Amino acid sequence: MTKTITHICQGTCSRQITVEVEDGIIRNVEFLGGCDGNTKGIMSLVRGMKAEEVIARCKGIDCRGKGTSCPDQLAQALSKAL
């Protein structure tokens, strides 16, 4: 079953993340806003990975002392998707 989640980001340059998860595997990720190269890199790296693994790797990553980051926000979005 495919599930699509839209997550409104808080505390990051990215404003929104849309994640498509199918049977626990990330099929697609789209960031709205944020650092273009970094978000494209994240999208490319996580596509095809298990959502649980991405959550474990990205949860709690901090950007410039903000207490969150684009990868952390992705982990939050994936947690909602699961």
Side-chain angles (χ1 to χ4, degrees):
M1 178 170 96
T2 302
K3 189 170 190 177
T4 302
I5 294 294
T6 299
H7 174 78
I8 304 302
C9 297
Q10 296 178 8
T12 62
C13 300
S14 297
R15 296 182 304 277
Q16 179 178 301
I17 304 171
T18 303
V19 183
E20 185 179 309
V21 179
E22 180 180 2
D23 298 324
I25 305 295
I26 299 168
R27 296 298 176 207
N28 195 37
V29 178
E30 293 179 12
F31 285 83
L32 179 62
C35 302
D36 190 51
N38 289 338
T39 56
K40 284 180 180 175
I42 294 168
M43 291 185 291
S44 180
L45 288 169
V46 303
R47 197 172 292 125
M49 288 181 68
K50 291 181 180 182
E52 290 177 349
E53 183 176 350
V54 174
I55 292 167
R57 290 179 181 219
C58 293
K59 185 177 180 179
I61 292 176
D62 182 68
C63 179
R64 299 184 213 173
K66 296 178 182 178
T68 190
S69 63
C70 292
D72 181 60
Q73 291 291 303
L74 175 58
Q76 291 181 36
L78 290 169
S79 293
K80 287 197 296 190
L82 297 181

Coordinates of all heavy atoms in Angstrom, one line a residue:
M1 N 0.8 -1.2 0.0 CA 0.0 0.0 0.0 C 0.9 1.2 0.0 O 1.9 1.3 0.7 CB -0.9 0.0 1.2 CG -1.8 1.2 1.3 SD -3.0 1.1 2.6 CE -2.2 1.9 3.9
T2 N 0.6 2.2 -0.8 CA 1.3 3.4 -0.9 C 0.6 4.5 -0.1 O -0.6 4.7 -0.1 CB 1.4 3.9 -2.4 OG1 2.0 2.9 -3.2 CG2 2.2 5.2 -2.5
K3 N 1.5 5.2 0.7 CA 1.0 6.3 1.5 C 1.8 7.6 1.2 O 3.0 7.5 1.2 CB 1.1 5.9 3.0 CG 0.4 6.9 4.0 CD 0.4 6.3 5.4 CE -0.5 7.1 6.3 NZ -0.6 6.6 7.6
T4 N 1.1 8.7 1.0 CA 1.7 10.0 0.8 C 1.4 10.9 1.9 O 0.2 11.1 2.3 CB 1.2 10.6 -0.6 OG1 1.5 9.7 -1.6 CG2 1.9 11.9 -0.8
I5 N 2.5 11.5 2.5 CA 2.4 12.4 3.6 C 2.9 13.7 3.2 O 4.0 13.8 2.6 CB 3.2 11.8 4.8 CG1 2.6 10.6 5.3 CG2 3.3 12.9 5.9 CD1 1.2 10.7 5.9
T6 N 2.2 14.8 3.6 CA 2.7 16.2 3.5 C 3.0 16.7 4.9 O 2.1 16.7 5.7 CB 1.7 17.1 2.7 OG1 1.5 16.5 1.4 CG2 2.3 18.5 2.6
H7 N 4.3 17.1 5.1 CA 4.7 17.5 6.4 C 5.1 19.0 6.3 O 5.9 19.4 5.4 CB 5.9 16.7 6.8 CG 6.6 17.2 8.1 ND1 6.1 16.9 9.3 CD2 7.7 17.9 8.3 CE1 6.9 17.4 10.2 NE2 7.9 18.1 9.6
I8 N 4.5 19.9 7.1 CA 4.9 21.3 7.2 C 6.1 21.4 8.1 O 6.0 21.0 9.3 CB 3.7 22.1 7.7 CG1 2.5 21.9 6.8 CG2 4.1 23.6 7.7 CD1 2.6 22.3 5.3
C9 N 7.2 21.9 7.6 CA 8.4 22.0 8.3 C 8.4 23.1 9.3 O 7.7 24.1 9.1 CB 9.6 22.2 7.4 SG 9.9 20.8 6.3
Q10 N 9.1 22.9 10.4 CA 9.2 24.0 11.4 C 10.7 24.1 11.8 O 11.4 23.1 12.1 CB 8.4 23.6 12.7 CG 6.9 23.5 12.4 CD 6.1 23.1 13.7 OE1 6.7 23.0 14.7 NE2 4.9 22.8 13.5
G11 N 11.2 25.4 11.8 CA 12.5 25.7 12.2 C 13.6 25.4 11.1 O 14.8 25.4 11.4
T12 N 13.2 25.2 9.9 CA 14.2 25.0 8.8 C 13.9 25.9 7.6 O 12.8 26.5 7.5 CB 14.1 23.5 8.3 OG1 12.8 23.3 7.7 CG2 14.4 22.5 9.4
C13 N 14.8 25.9 6.7 CA 14.6 26.7 5.4 C 13.6 26.0 4.6 O 12.9 26.7 3.8 CB 16.0 26.8 4.7 SG 17.3 27.6 5.6
S14 N 13.5 24.7 4.6 CA 12.5 24.0 3.9 C 11.2 24.3 4.5 O 11.0 24.3 5.7 CB 12.7 22.5 3.9 OG 14.0 22.2 3.3
R15 N 10.2 24.5 3.7 CA 8.8 24.8 4.2 C 7.9 23.6 4.3 O 7.0 23.5 5.1 CB 8.2 25.9 3.3 CG 8.9 27.2 3.4 CD 8.3 28.3 2.6 NE 8.1 28.0 1.2 CZ 9.0 28.1 0.2 NH1 10.2 28.5 0.5 NH2 8.7 27.8 -1.1
Q16 N 8.2 22.6 3.4 CA 7.3 21.5 3.3 C 8.0 20.3 2.7 O 8.9 20.5 1.9 CB 6.1 21.8 2.4 CG 5.1 20.8 2.2 CD 3.9 21.3 1.4 OE1 3.2 22.2 1.8 NE2 3.7 20.7 0.2
I17 N 7.6 19.1 3.2 CA 8.2 17.9 2.6 C 7.0 17.0 2.3 O 6.1 16.8 3.1 CB 9.1 17.1 3.6 CG1 10.2 18.0 4.1 CG2 9.7 15.8 3.0 CD1 11.0 17.4 5.3
T18 N 7.0 16.4 1.1 CA 6.1 15.4 0.6 C 6.8 14.1 0.5 O 7.8 14.0 -0.2 CB 5.4 15.8 -0.7 OG1 4.8 17.1 -0.5 CG2 4.3 14.8 -1.1
V19 N 6.3 13.1 1.1 CA 7.0 11.8 1.1 C 6.0 10.7 0.7 O 4.8 10.7 1.1 CB 7.5 11.4 2.6 CG1 8.2 10.1 2.5 CG2 8.3 12.5 3.2
E20 N 6.4 9.8 -0.2 CA 5.6 8.7 -0.7 C 6.3 7.4 -0.2 O 7.5 7.2 -0.5 CB 5.5 8.7 -2.2 CG 4.7 7.7 -2.8 CD 4.6 7.8 -4.3 OE1 4.3 8.9 -4.8 OE2 4.8 6.7 -4.9
V21 N 5.6 6.6 0.6 CA 6.2 5.4 1.2 C 5.3 4.2 0.7 O 4.0 4.3 0.9 CB 6.2 5.5 2.7 CG1 6.7 4.2 3.3 CG2 7.1 6.7 3.2
E22 N 5.9 3.2 0.2 CA 5.2 2.0 -0.2 C 5.7 0.8 0.5 O 6.9 0.5 0.4 CB 5.3 1.8 -1.7 CG 4.5 0.6 -2.2 CD 4.6 0.5 -3.7 OE1 5.3 1.3 -4.4 OE2 4.0 -0.5 -4.2
D23 N 4.9 0.1 1.3 CA 5.4 -1.0 2.1 C 6.7 -0.8 2.9 O 7.6 -1.6 2.9 CB 5.5 -2.2 1.2 CG 4.2 -2.6 0.5 OD1 3.2 -2.5 1.1 OD2 4.3 -3.0 -0.7
G24 N 6.8 0.4 3.5 CA 7.9 0.7 4.3 C 9.1 1.2 3.6 O 10.1 1.5 4.2
I25 N 9.0 1.3 2.2 CA 10.1 1.8 1.4 C 9.8 3.2 0.8 O 8.7 3.4 0.4 CB 10.4 0.8 0.2 CG1 10.6 -0.6 0.7 CG2 11.5 1.3 -0.7 CD1 11.9 -0.8 1.5
I26 N 10.8 4.0 0.9 CA 10.6 5.4 0.4 C 10.7 5.4 -1.1 O 11.7 4.9 -1.7 CB 11.7 6.4 0.9 CG1 11.6 6.4 2.5 CG2 11.5 7.8 0.3 CD1 12.8 7.1 3.1
R27 N 9.6 5.8 -1.7 CA 9.5 5.8 -3.2 C 9.8 7.2 -3.8 O 10.4 7.3 -4.8 CB 8.1 5.4 -3.7 CG 7.8 3.9 -3.3 CD 8.8 3.0 -4.0 NE 8.5 1.6 -3.6 CZ 9.4 0.7 -3.6 NH1 10.7 1.0 -4.0 NH2 9.2 -0.5 -3.2
N28 N 9.4 8.2 -3.0 CA 9.7 9.6 -3.5 C 9.7 10.6 -2.3 O 9.0 10.4 -1.4 CB 8.7 10.0 -4.6 CG 9.1 11.2 -5.3 OD1 10.3 11.4 -5.6 ND2 8.1 12.1 -5.6
V29 N 10.5 11.6 -2.5 CA 10.6 12.7 -1.5 C 10.7 14.0 -2.2 O 11.5 14.1 -3.2 CB 11.8 12.5 -0.5 CG1 11.9 13.7 0.4 CG2 11.8 11.2 0.2
E30 N 10.0 15.0 -1.8 CA 10.1 16.3 -2.4 C 10.1 17.4 -1.3 O 9.3 17.4 -0.5 CB 8.9 16.6 -3.4 CG 8.9 15.7 -4.6 CD 7.7 16.0 -5.5 OE1 7.0 17.0 -5.3 OE2 7.4 15.2 -6.4
F31 N 11.1 18.2 -1.4 CA 11.2 19.3 -0.5 C 10.7 20.6 -1.2 O 11.1 20.8 -2.3 CB 12.7 19.6 0.0 CG 13.2 18.6 0.9 CD1 13.7 17.3 0.5 CD2 13.2 18.8 2.3 CE1 14.2 16.4 1.4 CE2 13.7 17.9 3.2 CZ 14.2 16.7 2.8
L32 N 10.0 21.4 -0.5 CA 9.7 22.8 -1.0 C 10.5 23.8 -0.2 O 10.4 23.9 1.1 CB 8.2 23.0 -0.7 CG 7.6 24.4 -1.2 CD1 7.8 24.6 -2.7 CD2 6.2 24.5 -0.8
G33 N 11.4 24.5 -0.9 CA 12.3 25.4 -0.2 C 13.5 24.7 0.3 O 13.7 23.5 0.0
G34 N 14.4 25.4 1.0 CA 15.6 24.8 1.5 C 16.7 25.0 0.5 O 16.6 25.6 -0.5
C35 N 17.9 24.5 0.9 CA 19.1 24.5 0.1 C 19.0 23.5 -1.0 O 19.0 22.3 -0.8 CB 20.3 24.2 0.9 SG 20.5 25.3 2.3
D36 N 18.9 24.0 -2.3 CA 18.5 23.1 -3.4 C 19.4 21.9 -3.5 O 18.9 20.8 -3.6 CB 18.6 24.0 -4.7 CG 18.0 23.2 -5.9 OD1 16.9 22.7 -5.8 OD2 18.7 23.2 -6.9
G37 N 20.7 22.1 -3.5 CA 21.7 21.0 -3.6 C 21.5 20.0 -2.5 O 21.6 18.8 -2.7
N38 N 21.4 20.5 -1.3 CA 21.3 19.6 -0.1 C 20.0 18.8 -0.2 O 20.0 17.6 0.1 CB 21.4 20.4 1.2 CG 22.8 20.9 1.4 OD1 23.8 20.4 0.9 ND2 22.9 21.9 2.2
T39 N 18.9 19.4 -0.5 CA 17.6 18.7 -0.5 C 17.6 17.7 -1.6 O 17.1 16.6 -1.4 CB 16.4 19.7 -0.5 OG1 16.5 20.5 -1.6 CG2 16.4 20.5 0.8
K40 N 18.2 18.1 -2.8 CA 18.2 17.1 -3.9 C 19.1 15.9 -3.5 O 18.8 14.8 -3.9 CB 18.7 17.8 -5.1 CG 17.7 18.6 -5.8 CD 18.3 19.3 -7.1 CE 17.3 20.2 -7.7 NZ 17.8 20.9 -8.9
G41 N 20.2 16.2 -2.8 CA 21.1 15.1 -2.4 C 20.3 14.2 -1.4 O 20.4 12.9 -1.5
I42 N 19.6 14.7 -0.4 CA 18.9 13.9 0.5 C 17.8 13.1 -0.2 O 17.7 11.9 0.0 CB 18.2 14.8 1.6 CG1 19.2 15.5 2.5 CG2 17.2 14.0 2.4 CD1 18.6 16.6 3.3
M43 N 17.1 13.7 -1.2 CA 16.1 13.0 -1.9 C 16.7 11.8 -2.7 O 16.2 10.7 -2.7 CB 15.4 13.9 -2.9 CG 14.5 14.9 -2.2 SD 13.6 16.0 -3.4 CE 14.8 16.9 -4.2
S44 N 17.8 12.0 -3.3 CA 18.5 11.0 -4.1 C 19.0 9.8 -3.2 O 18.9 8.7 -3.5 CB 19.6 11.6 -4.9 OG 20.3 10.6 -5.6
L45 N 19.6 10.2 -2.0 CA 20.1 9.2 -1.1 C 19.1 8.3 -0.5 O 19.3 7.1 -0.3 CB 20.9 9.9 0.0 CG 22.3 10.5 -0.5 CD1 22.9 11.3 0.6 CD2 23.2 9.4 -0.9
V46 N 17.9 8.9 -0.1 CA 16.9 8.1 0.6 C 16.0 7.3 -0.2 O 15.3 6.4 0.3 CB 16.2 8.9 1.7 CG1 17.1 9.6 2.6 CG2 15.2 9.9 1.0
R47 N 15.8 7.7 -1.5 CA 14.9 7.0 -2.4 C 15.3 5.5 -2.5 O 16.5 5.1 -2.7 CB 14.9 7.6 -3.8 CG 13.7 7.2 -4.6 CD 13.7 8.0 -5.9 NE 13.4 9.4 -5.7 CZ 14.2 10.4 -6.1 NH1 15.2 10.2 -6.8 NH2 13.8 11.7 -5.8
G48 N 14.4 4.6 -2.2 CA 14.6 3.2 -2.2 C 15.0 2.6 -0.9 O 15.1 1.4 -0.7
M49 N 15.3 3.4 0.1 CA 15.7 3.0 1.5 C 14.4 2.6 2.3 O 13.3 3.2 2.1 CB 16.5 4.0 2.2 CG 17.9 4.2 1.7 SD 18.8 5.5 2.6 CE 19.0 4.6 4.2
K50 N 14.7 1.8 3.3 CA 13.6 1.6 4.3 C 13.4 2.8 5.1 O 14.4 3.5 5.6 CB 14.0 0.4 5.2 CG 14.0 -0.9 4.6 CD 14.4 -2.0 5.5 CE 14.4 -3.3 4.8 NZ 14.7 -4.4 5.8
A51 N 12.1 3.2 5.3 CA 11.8 4.4 6.0 C 12.4 4.4 7.5 O 12.9 5.4 8.0 CB 10.3 4.6 6.1
E52 N 12.3 3.2 8.1 CA 12.8 3.1 9.5 C 14.3 3.4 9.6 O 14.7 3.9 10.5 CB 12.4 1.7 10.0 CG 11.0 1.5 10.3 CD 10.6 0.1 10.7 OE1 11.5 -0.8 10.7 OE2 9.5 -0.1 11.2
E53 N 15.0 3.0 8.6 CA 16.5 3.2 8.6 C 16.8 4.7 8.4 O 17.7 5.2 9.1 CB 17.2 2.4 7.4 CG 18.7 2.6 7.4 CD 19.3 1.7 6.4 OE1 18.7 0.9 5.8 OE2 20.5 1.9 6.2
V54 N 16.0 5.4 7.5 CA 16.2 6.8 7.4 C 15.9 7.6 8.7 O 16.6 8.5 9.1 CB 15.4 7.3 6.2 CG1 15.5 8.9 6.1 CG2 15.9 6.7 4.9
I55 N 14.8 7.1 9.3 CA 14.4 7.8 10.6 C 15.6 7.6 11.6 O 16.0 8.6 12.2 CB 13.1 7.1 11.1 CG1 11.9 7.5 10.3 CG2 12.9 7.6 12.6 CD1 10.7 6.7 10.5
A56 N 16.1 6.4 11.7 CA 17.2 6.1 12.7 C 18.4 7.0 12.4 O 19.1 7.5 13.3 CB 17.5 4.7 12.7
R57 N 18.7 7.2 11.1 CA 19.9 7.9 10.7 C 19.7 9.5 10.8 O 20.7 10.2 11.0 CB 20.3 7.6 9.3 CG 20.9 6.2 9.2 CD 21.2 5.9 7.7 NE 21.7 4.5 7.6 CZ 22.7 4.2 6.8 NH1 23.3 5.1 6.1 NH2 23.1 2.9 6.7
C58 N 18.5 9.9 10.5 CA 18.3 11.4 10.4 C 17.7 12.1 11.6 O 17.8 13.3 11.8 CB 17.4 11.7 9.2 SG 18.2 11.2 7.6
K59 N 17.0 11.3 12.5 CA 16.4 11.9 13.6 C 17.4 12.6 14.5 O 18.4 12.0 14.9 CB 15.6 10.8 14.4 CG 14.8 11.3 15.5 CD 14.0 10.2 16.2 CE 13.2 10.7 17.4 NZ 12.4 9.7 18.0
G60 N 17.1 13.8 14.9 CA 17.9 14.5 15.8 C 19.1 15.3 15.2 O 19.8 16.0 15.9
I61 N 19.3 15.2 13.9 CA 20.3 16.0 13.3 C 20.0 17.5 13.4 O 18.8 17.9 13.2 CB 20.5 15.7 11.8 CG1 21.1 14.2 11.7 CG2 21.4 16.7 11.1 CD1 21.2 13.7 10.3
D62 N 21.0 18.3 13.9 CA 20.8 19.7 14.1 C 21.4 20.6 13.1 O 22.5 20.2 12.6 CB 21.3 20.1 15.5 CG 21.1 21.5 15.9 OD1 19.9 21.9 16.1 OD2 22.1 22.3 15.9
C63 N 20.8 21.7 12.7 CA 21.4 22.6 11.7 C 21.5 24.0 12.4 O 20.5 24.6 12.8 CB 20.5 22.7 10.5 SG 21.1 23.9 9.3
R64 N 22.8 24.4 12.6 CA 23.1 25.7 13.2 C 22.4 26.0 14.5 O 21.9 27.1 14.7 CB 22.7 26.8 12.2 CG 23.5 26.7 10.9 CD 23.1 27.8 10.0 NE 23.2 27.4 8.6 CZ 22.8 28.1 7.6 NH1 22.4 29.3 7.7 NH2 22.9 27.6 6.4
G65 N 22.3 25.0 15.4 CA 21.7 25.2 16.7 C 20.2 25.5 16.7 O 19.7 25.9 17.7
K66 N 19.5 25.1 15.6 CA 18.1 25.3 15.6 C 17.3 24.2 16.3 O 16.1 24.3 16.5 CB 17.6 25.3 14.1 CG 18.2 26.5 13.3 CD 17.7 26.4 11.9 CE 18.3 27.6 11.0 NZ 17.9 27.4 9.6
G67 N 18.0 23.1 16.6 CA 17.3 22.0 17.3 C 16.6 21.1 16.3 O 16.0 20.1 16.7
T68 N 16.7 21.4 15.0 CA 16.2 20.5 13.9 C 17.0 20.8 12.7 O 17.9 21.6 12.7 CB 14.7 20.8 13.8 OG1 14.1 19.7 12.9 CG2 14.4 22.1 13.2
S69 N 16.6 20.1 11.6 CA 17.3 20.3 10.3 C 16.3 19.7 9.3 O 15.3 19.0 9.6 CB 18.6 19.5 10.3 OG 18.4 18.1 10.4
C70 N 16.7 19.8 8.0 CA 15.9 19.2 6.9 C 15.9 17.7 7.1 O 14.8 17.1 7.0 CB 16.4 19.6 5.6 SG 16.1 21.4 5.2
P71 N 17.0 17.0 7.4 CA 17.0 15.6 7.6 C 16.1 15.2 8.8 O 15.4 14.2 8.8 CB 18.4 15.2 7.8 CG 19.2 16.2 7.1 CD 18.4 17.5 7.3
D72 N 16.2 16.0 9.9 CA 15.4 15.7 11.1 C 13.9 15.9 10.7 O 13.0 15.1 11.1 CB 15.8 16.7 12.2 CG 14.9 16.4 13.5 OD1 15.0 15.3 14.0 OD2 14.3 17.3 13.9
Q73 N 13.5 16.9 10.0 CA 12.2 17.1 9.6 C 11.7 16.0 8.7 O 10.5 15.5 8.8 CB 12.0 18.4 8.8 CG 12.2 19.6 9.7 CD 11.0 19.8 10.8 OE1 9.9 19.8 10.4 NE2 11.4 19.8 12.0
L74 N 12.6 15.4 7.8 CA 12.2 14.3 7.0 C 11.9 13.1 7.9 O 11.0 12.3 7.7 CB 13.4 13.9 6.0 CG 13.2 12.7 5.2 CD1 11.9 12.7 4.4 CD2 14.4 12.4 4.3
A75 N 12.7 12.9 8.9 CA 12.5 11.8 9.9 C 11.1 11.9 10.5 O 10.4 10.9 10.7 CB 13.6 11.7 10.9
Q76 N 10.8 13.2 10.9 CA 9.5 13.4 11.5 C 8.3 13.1 10.5 O 7.3 12.5 10.8 CB 9.4 14.8 12.0 CG 10.2 15.1 13.1 CD 10.1 16.6 13.6 OE1 9.0 17.2 13.6 NE2 11.2 17.2 14.1
A77 N 8.5 13.5 9.2 CA 7.5 13.2 8.2 C 7.4 11.7 8.0 O 6.3 11.1 7.9 CB 7.9 13.8 6.9
L78 N 8.5 11.0 8.0 CA 8.5 9.5 7.8 C 7.8 8.8 9.0 O 7.1 7.8 8.8 CB 9.9 9.0 7.6 CG 10.5 9.3 6.3 CD1 12.0 9.0 6.2 CD2 9.8 8.6 5.1
S79 N 8.0 9.3 10.2 CA 7.4 8.8 11.4 C 5.9 8.9 11.3 O 5.1 7.9 11.6 CB 7.9 9.5 12.6 OG 9.2 9.2 12.9
K80 N 5.4 10.0 10.7 CA 3.9 10.1 10.5 C 3.4 9.1 9.4 O 2.3 8.6 9.5 CB 3.6 11.6 10.0 CG 3.7 12.6 11.1 CD 3.0 13.9 10.8 CE 3.6 14.6 9.6 NZ 3.0 16.0 9.5
A81 N 4.3 8.9 8.4 CA 3.9 8.0 7.3 C 3.8 6.6 7.8 O 2.9 5.8 7.3 CB 4.9 8.1 6.2
L82 N 4.6 6.2 8.8 CA 4.5 4.8 9.3 C 3.5 4.7 10.4 O 3.0 3.7 10.7 CB 5.9 4.4 9.8 CG 7.0 4.4 8.8 CD1 8.3 4.0 9.5 CD2 6.7 3.5 7.7

